[in-house]
DNA sequence: ATGCTGATGCAACCAGGTTGCAAAGTTTAT
DNA sequence: ATAAACTTTGCAACCTGGTTGCATCAGCAT
């Protein structure tokens, strides 16, 4: 288990400190994207700033991606192995308005958009809001 | 001018107070979406809470729509006359990473997405980041 | 004029995000 | 093995946007 974690960190050129291993472990076990405050709650006692910087490091190195789903806080989820966070790599995110969980719909790529003349595209954030299958009645 | 403003307010069932007329005027003159802090700066002396509530009122009555473009703050822009903020009414937003302005790409509808089974769609937020034509080199 | 309702202004609060700085831990060169 | 150099961590403090409670004020109906 730990091996696998360290391997992941290594493959993204992130030094495997104890803290980072723990955070990555939490992120791996997570089915939905998680926010910084939520991450804090996963630990008995952990420093917000450290977690914050850990997430930033992960994001810079493309181990995770951030999602701004319109709720108060930014959420984070693991990137796929092959992800380089290019526009082609992007997928749709789904925010359930009942349970507030944010899902990565990895199989649904973000549709291509034709921008007006002289607009250059760098990135796309597409969040669908609705009710997830768990909360579906 | 004022007539036109009042008419707009009236058509959305919003009582035309002085404050609201001023805010709507600012929003009308705006080419890009504006945030609460930005709106505050447009006035010599105005109360944040009042502006906040004014925006909320406008939004509830579908005179404006909010855009969460991933920057720290939520931005607001006028709805089109015919807008009821249904998913069909939605358009793509563009955030310029240079000037930080957010454009309503009114002519680009949000693409339709096929969600997984038992996921119900309510709303879609699609923000494209990049460089706008003004900042394009 | 009187009373009711909703709008405004002020102050205070809250949460998430972010930074500075010193202590602890790692790595590298000698 | 030791010292120097660099990185990570933990703590505290801060900033900003968003939000709320409450007293006051304005507009309208009676």
């Amino acid at each position: 288990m730990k091996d696998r974690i360290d391997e992941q960190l290594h493959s993204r050129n992130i030094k495997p400190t104890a803290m980072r291993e723990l955070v990555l472990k939490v992120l791996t076990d997570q089915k939905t994207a998680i926010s910084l405050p939520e991450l804090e709650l996963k630990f008995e006692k952990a420093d917000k700033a450290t977690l914050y910087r850990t997430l930033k490091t992960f994001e810079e190195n493309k181990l995770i991606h951030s999602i701004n789903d319109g709720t108060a806080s930014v959420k984070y989820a693991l990137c796929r192995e092959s992800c380089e966070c290019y526009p082609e790599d992007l997928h749709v995110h789904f925010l359930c308005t009942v349970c507030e969980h944010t899902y990565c719909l990895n199989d649904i790529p973000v549709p291509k958009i034709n921008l007006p003349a002289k607009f250059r595209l760098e990135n796309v954030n597409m969040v669908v809001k609705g009710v997830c299958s768990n909360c579906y009645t």
Side-chain angles (χ1 to χ4, degrees), chain A residues 67-82:
Chain A
I67 306 137
N68 198 304
D69 60 15
T71 55
S73 50
V74 179
K75 291 178 182 166
Y76 299 88
L78 286 180
C79 288
R80 283 183 162 180
E81 206 83 17
S82 62

mmCIF file with all atom_site columns, all heavy atoms in Angstrom, chain A residues 67-82:
data_model
loop_
_atom_site.group_PDB
_atom_site.id
_atom_site.type_symbol
_atom_site.label_atom_id
_atom_site.label_alt_id
_atom_site.label_comp_id
_atom_site.label_asym_id
_atom_site.label_entity_id
_atom_site.label_seq_id
_atom_site.pdbx_PDB_ins_code
_atom_site.Cartn_x
_atom_site.Cartn_y
_atom_site.Cartn_z
_atom_site.occupancy
_atom_site.B_iso_or_equiv
_atom_site.pdbx_formal_charge
_atom_site.auth_seq_id
_atom_site.auth_comp_id
_atom_site.auth_asym_id
_atom_site.auth_atom_id
_atom_site.pdbx_PDB_model_num
ATOM 1   N N   . ILE A 1 67 ? -11.306 21.613 -8.270  1.00 0.00 ? 67 ILE A N   1
ATOM 2   C CA  . ILE A 1 67 ? -12.613 21.830 -8.874  1.00 0.00 ? 67 ILE A CA  1
ATOM 3   C C   . ILE A 1 67 ? -13.318 22.936 -8.112  1.00 0.00 ? 67 ILE A C   1
ATOM 4   O O   . ILE A 1 67 ? -13.427 22.875 -6.898  1.00 0.00 ? 67 ILE A O   1
ATOM 5   C CB  . ILE A 1 67 ? -13.491 20.565 -8.769  1.00 0.00 ? 67 ILE A CB  1
ATOM 6   C CG1 . ILE A 1 67 ? -12.767 19.380 -9.357  1.00 0.00 ? 67 ILE A CG1 1
ATOM 7   C CG2 . ILE A 1 67 ? -14.843 20.801 -9.430  1.00 0.00 ? 67 ILE A CG2 1
ATOM 8   C CD1 . ILE A 1 67 ? -12.898 18.140 -8.522  1.00 0.00 ? 67 ILE A CD1 1
ATOM 9   N N   . ASN A 1 68 ? -13.746 23.914 -8.839  1.00 0.00 ? 68 ASN A N   1
ATOM 10  C CA  . ASN A 1 68 ? -14.501 24.973 -8.213  1.00 0.00 ? 68 ASN A CA  1
ATOM 11  C C   . ASN A 1 68 ? -15.955 24.726 -8.562  1.00 0.00 ? 68 ASN A C   1
ATOM 12  O O   . ASN A 1 68 ? -16.400 25.080 -9.637  1.00 0.00 ? 68 ASN A O   1
ATOM 13  C CB  . ASN A 1 68 ? -14.033 26.317 -8.759  1.00 0.00 ? 68 ASN A CB  1
ATOM 14  C CG  . ASN A 1 68 ? -14.466 27.419 -7.852  1.00 0.00 ? 68 ASN A CG  1
ATOM 15  O OD1 . ASN A 1 68 ? -15.664 27.538 -7.591  1.00 0.00 ? 68 ASN A OD1 1
ATOM 16  N ND2 . ASN A 1 68 ? -13.540 28.198 -7.365  1.00 0.00 ? 68 ASN A ND2 1
ATOM 17  N N   . ASP A 1 69 ? -16.656 24.108 -7.651  1.00 0.00 ? 69 ASP A N   1
ATOM 18  C CA  . ASP A 1 69 ? -18.004 23.663 -7.987  1.00 0.00 ? 69 ASP A CA  1
ATOM 19  C C   . ASP A 1 69 ? -19.076 24.666 -7.574  1.00 0.00 ? 69 ASP A C   1
ATOM 20  O O   . ASP A 1 69 ? -20.263 24.387 -7.631  1.00 0.00 ? 69 ASP A O   1
ATOM 21  C CB  . ASP A 1 69 ? -18.295 22.297 -7.379  1.00 0.00 ? 69 ASP A CB  1
ATOM 22  C CG  . ASP A 1 69 ? -18.176 22.317 -5.873  1.00 0.00 ? 69 ASP A CG  1
ATOM 23  O OD1 . ASP A 1 69 ? -18.148 23.413 -5.295  1.00 0.00 ? 69 ASP A OD1 1
ATOM 24  O OD2 . ASP A 1 69 ? -18.110 21.235 -5.268  1.00 0.00 ? 69 ASP A OD2 1
ATOM 25  N N   . GLY A 1 70 ? -18.632 25.831 -7.137  1.00 0.00 ? 70 GLY A N   1
ATOM 26  C CA  . GLY A 1 70 ? -19.602 26.855 -6.805  1.00 0.00 ? 70 GLY A CA  1
ATOM 27  C C   . GLY A 1 70 ? -19.982 26.854 -5.333  1.00 0.00 ? 70 GLY A C   1
ATOM 28  O O   . GLY A 1 70 ? -20.636 27.775 -4.863  1.00 0.00 ? 70 GLY A O   1
ATOM 29  N N   . THR A 1 71 ? -19.574 25.842 -4.606  1.00 0.00 ? 71 THR A N   1
ATOM 30  C CA  . THR A 1 71 ? -19.765 25.882 -3.164  1.00 0.00 ? 71 THR A CA  1
ATOM 31  C C   . THR A 1 71 ? -18.676 26.776 -2.594  1.00 0.00 ? 71 THR A C   1
ATOM 32  O O   . THR A 1 71 ? -17.768 27.191 -3.304  1.00 0.00 ? 71 THR A O   1
ATOM 33  C CB  . THR A 1 71 ? -19.676 24.481 -2.532  1.00 0.00 ? 71 THR A CB  1
ATOM 34  O OG1 . THR A 1 71 ? -18.433 23.888 -2.890  1.00 0.00 ? 71 THR A OG1 1
ATOM 35  C CG2 . THR A 1 71 ? -20.797 23.597 -3.023  1.00 0.00 ? 71 THR A CG2 1
ATOM 36  N N   . ALA A 1 72 ? -18.777 27.024 -1.324  1.00 0.00 ? 72 ALA A N   1
ATOM 37  C CA  . ALA A 1 72 ? -17.842 27.961 -0.695  1.00 0.00 ? 72 ALA A CA  1
ATOM 38  C C   . ALA A 1 72 ? -16.389 27.590 -0.981  1.00 0.00 ? 72 ALA A C   1
ATOM 39  O O   . ALA A 1 72 ? -15.562 28.457 -1.238  1.00 0.00 ? 72 ALA A O   1
ATOM 40  C CB  . ALA A 1 72 ? -18.102 28.014 0.798   1.00 0.00 ? 72 ALA A CB  1
ATOM 41  N N   . SER A 1 73 ? -16.104 26.311 -0.959  1.00 0.00 ? 73 SER A N   1
ATOM 42  C CA  . SER A 1 73 ? -14.680 25.958 -1.029  1.00 0.00 ? 73 SER A CA  1
ATOM 43  C C   . SER A 1 73 ? -14.303 25.132 -2.237  1.00 0.00 ? 73 SER A C   1
ATOM 44  O O   . SER A 1 73 ? -15.106 24.406 -2.807  1.00 0.00 ? 73 SER A O   1
ATOM 45  C CB  . SER A 1 73 ? -14.285 25.221 0.243   1.00 0.00 ? 73 SER A CB  1
ATOM 46  O OG  . SER A 1 73 ? -15.194 24.180 0.494   1.00 0.00 ? 73 SER A OG  1
ATOM 47  N N   . VAL A 1 74 ? -13.055 25.275 -2.610  1.00 0.00 ? 74 VAL A N   1
ATOM 48  C CA  . VAL A 1 74 ? -12.486 24.525 -3.717  1.00 0.00 ? 74 VAL A CA  1
ATOM 49  C C   . VAL A 1 74 ? -12.303 23.071 -3.292  1.00 0.00 ? 74 VAL A C   1
ATOM 50  O O   . VAL A 1 74 ? -11.964 22.815 -2.152  1.00 0.00 ? 74 VAL A O   1
ATOM 51  C CB  . VAL A 1 74 ? -11.115 25.117 -4.082  1.00 0.00 ? 74 VAL A CB  1
ATOM 52  C CG1 . VAL A 1 74 ? -10.487 24.351 -5.219  1.00 0.00 ? 74 VAL A CG1 1
ATOM 53  C CG2 . VAL A 1 74 ? -11.259 26.591 -4.427  1.00 0.00 ? 74 VAL A CG2 1
ATOM 54  N N   . LYS A 1 75 ? -12.565 22.178 -4.210  1.00 0.00 ? 75 LYS A N   1
ATOM 55  C CA  . LYS A 1 75 ? -12.370 20.770 -3.881  1.00 0.00 ? 75 LYS A CA  1
ATOM 56  C C   . LYS A 1 75 ? -11.274 20.169 -4.736  1.00 0.00 ? 75 LYS A C   1
ATOM 57  O O   . LYS A 1 75 ? -10.919 20.714 -5.779  1.00 0.00 ? 75 LYS A O   1
ATOM 58  C CB  . LYS A 1 75 ? -13.682 20.007 -4.063  1.00 0.00 ? 75 LYS A CB  1
ATOM 59  C CG  . LYS A 1 75 ? -14.716 20.394 -3.035  1.00 0.00 ? 75 LYS A CG  1
ATOM 60  C CD  . LYS A 1 75 ? -16.031 19.676 -3.233  1.00 0.00 ? 75 LYS A CD  1
ATOM 61  C CE  . LYS A 1 75 ? -17.050 20.135 -2.195  1.00 0.00 ? 75 LYS A CE  1
ATOM 62  N NZ  . LYS A 1 75 ? -18.419 19.707 -2.571  1.00 0.00 ? 75 LYS A NZ  1
ATOM 63  N N   . TYR A 1 76 ? -10.748 19.030 -4.271  1.00 0.00 ? 76 TYR A N   1
ATOM 64  C CA  . TYR A 1 76 ? -9.635  18.386 -4.965  1.00 0.00 ? 76 TYR A CA  1
ATOM 65  C C   . TYR A 1 76 ? -9.908  16.911 -5.176  1.00 0.00 ? 76 TYR A C   1
ATOM 66  O O   . TYR A 1 76 ? -10.500 16.253 -4.328  1.00 0.00 ? 76 TYR A O   1
ATOM 67  C CB  . TYR A 1 76 ? -8.351  18.538 -4.145  1.00 0.00 ? 76 TYR A CB  1
ATOM 68  C CG  . TYR A 1 76 ? -7.950  19.975 -3.938  1.00 0.00 ? 76 TYR A CG  1
ATOM 69  C CD1 . TYR A 1 76 ? -8.441  20.701 -2.865  1.00 0.00 ? 76 TYR A CD1 1
ATOM 70  C CD2 . TYR A 1 76 ? -7.099  20.612 -4.833  1.00 0.00 ? 76 TYR A CD2 1
ATOM 71  C CE1 . TYR A 1 76 ? -8.093  22.034 -2.677  1.00 0.00 ? 76 TYR A CE1 1
ATOM 72  C CE2 . TYR A 1 76 ? -6.747  21.937 -4.659  1.00 0.00 ? 76 TYR A CE2 1
ATOM 73  C CZ  . TYR A 1 76 ? -7.245  22.647 -3.578  1.00 0.00 ? 76 TYR A CZ  1
ATOM 74  O OH  . TYR A 1 76 ? -6.901  23.962 -3.414  1.00 0.00 ? 76 TYR A OH  1
ATOM 75  N N   . ALA A 1 77 ? -9.446  16.406 -6.311  1.00 0.00 ? 77 ALA A N   1
ATOM 76  C CA  . ALA A 1 77 ? -9.573  14.979 -6.585  1.00 0.00 ? 77 ALA A CA  1
ATOM 77  C C   . ALA A 1 77 ? -8.332  14.509 -7.319  1.00 0.00 ? 77 ALA A C   1
ATOM 78  O O   . ALA A 1 77 ? -7.650  15.295 -7.994  1.00 0.00 ? 77 ALA A O   1
ATOM 79  C CB  . ALA A 1 77 ? -10.819 14.711 -7.416  1.00 0.00 ? 77 ALA A CB  1
ATOM 80  N N   . LEU A 1 78 ? -8.054  13.239 -7.192  1.00 0.00 ? 78 LEU A N   1
ATOM 81  C CA  . LEU A 1 78 ? -6.887  12.661 -7.851  1.00 0.00 ? 78 LEU A CA  1
ATOM 82  C C   . LEU A 1 78 ? -7.008  12.774 -9.361  1.00 0.00 ? 78 LEU A C   1
ATOM 83  O O   . LEU A 1 78 ? -8.089  12.590 -9.912  1.00 0.00 ? 78 LEU A O   1
ATOM 84  C CB  . LEU A 1 78 ? -6.766  11.185 -7.489  1.00 0.00 ? 78 LEU A CB  1
ATOM 85  C CG  . LEU A 1 78 ? -6.272  10.850 -6.090  1.00 0.00 ? 78 LEU A CG  1
ATOM 86  C CD1 . LEU A 1 78 ? -6.215  9.339  -5.923  1.00 0.00 ? 78 LEU A CD1 1
ATOM 87  C CD2 . LEU A 1 78 ? -4.907  11.460 -5.829  1.00 0.00 ? 78 LEU A CD2 1
ATOM 88  N N   . CYS A 1 79 ? -5.888  13.020 -9.992  1.00 0.00 ? 79 CYS A N   1
ATOM 89  C CA  . CYS A 1 79 ? -5.856  12.948 -11.442 1.00 0.00 ? 79 CYS A CA  1
ATOM 90  C C   . CYS A 1 79 ? -5.710  11.487 -11.840 1.00 0.00 ? 79 CYS A C   1
ATOM 91  O O   . CYS A 1 79 ? -5.234  10.662 -11.062 1.00 0.00 ? 79 CYS A O   1
ATOM 92  C CB  . CYS A 1 79 ? -4.658  13.723 -11.998 1.00 0.00 ? 79 CYS A CB  1
ATOM 93  S SG  . CYS A 1 79 ? -4.831  15.501 -11.881 1.00 0.00 ? 79 CYS A SG  1
ATOM 94  N N   . ARG A 1 80 ? -6.102  11.204 -13.055 1.00 0.00 ? 80 ARG A N   1
ATOM 95  C CA  . ARG A 1 80 ? -5.822  9.872  -13.569 1.00 0.00 ? 80 ARG A CA  1
ATOM 96  C C   . ARG A 1 80 ? -4.330  9.772  -13.838 1.00 0.00 ? 80 ARG A C   1
ATOM 97  O O   . ARG A 1 80 ? -3.667  10.782 -14.093 1.00 0.00 ? 80 ARG A O   1
ATOM 98  C CB  . ARG A 1 80 ? -6.579  9.651  -14.874 1.00 0.00 ? 80 ARG A CB  1
ATOM 99  C CG  . ARG A 1 80 ? -8.036  9.371  -14.612 1.00 0.00 ? 80 ARG A CG  1
ATOM 100 C CD  . ARG A 1 80 ? -8.721  9.076  -15.913 1.00 0.00 ? 80 ARG A CD  1
ATOM 101 N NE  . ARG A 1 80 ? -9.993  8.404  -15.653 1.00 0.00 ? 80 ARG A NE  1
ATOM 102 C CZ  . ARG A 1 80 ? -10.822 8.019  -16.607 1.00 0.00 ? 80 ARG A CZ  1
ATOM 103 N NH1 . ARG A 1 80 ? -10.513 8.228  -17.871 1.00 0.00 ? 80 ARG A NH1 1
ATOM 104 N NH2 . ARG A 1 80 ? -11.945 7.424  -16.310 1.00 0.00 ? 80 ARG A NH2 1
ATOM 105 N N   . GLU A 1 81 ? -3.879  8.549  -13.863 1.00 0.00 ? 81 GLU A N   1
ATOM 106 C CA  . GLU A 1 81 ? -2.459  8.251  -14.090 1.00 0.00 ? 81 GLU A CA  1
ATOM 107 C C   . GLU A 1 81 ? -1.893  9.094  -15.236 1.00 0.00 ? 81 GLU A C   1
ATOM 108 O O   . GLU A 1 81 ? -0.873  9.740  -15.121 1.00 0.00 ? 81 GLU A O   1
ATOM 109 C CB  . GLU A 1 81 ? -2.331  6.766  -14.438 1.00 0.00 ? 81 GLU A CB  1
ATOM 110 C CG  . GLU A 1 81 ? -0.991  6.154  -14.101 1.00 0.00 ? 81 GLU A CG  1
ATOM 111 C CD  . GLU A 1 81 ? -0.935  5.750  -12.622 1.00 0.00 ? 81 GLU A CD  1
ATOM 112 O OE1 . GLU A 1 81 ? -2.011  5.639  -11.966 1.00 0.00 ? 81 GLU A OE1 1
ATOM 113 O OE2 . GLU A 1 81 ? 0.170   5.575  -12.109 1.00 0.00 ? 81 GLU A OE2 1
ATOM 114 N N   . SER A 1 82 ? -2.649  9.081  -16.315 1.00 0.00 ? 82 SER A N   1
ATOM 115 C CA  . SER A 1 82 ? -2.134  9.653  -17.567 1.00 0.00 ? 82 SER A CA  1
ATOM 116 C C   . SER A 1 82 ? -2.398  11.155 -17.682 1.00 0.00 ? 82 SER A C   1
ATOM 117 O O   . SER A 1 82 ? -2.020  11.776 -18.655 1.00 0.00 ? 82 SER A O   1
ATOM 118 C CB  . SER A 1 82 ? -2.825  8.964  -18.736 1.00 0.00 ? 82 SER A CB  1
ATOM 119 O OG  . SER A 1 82 ? -4.218  9.226  -18.636 1.00 0.00 ? 82 SER A OG  1
#
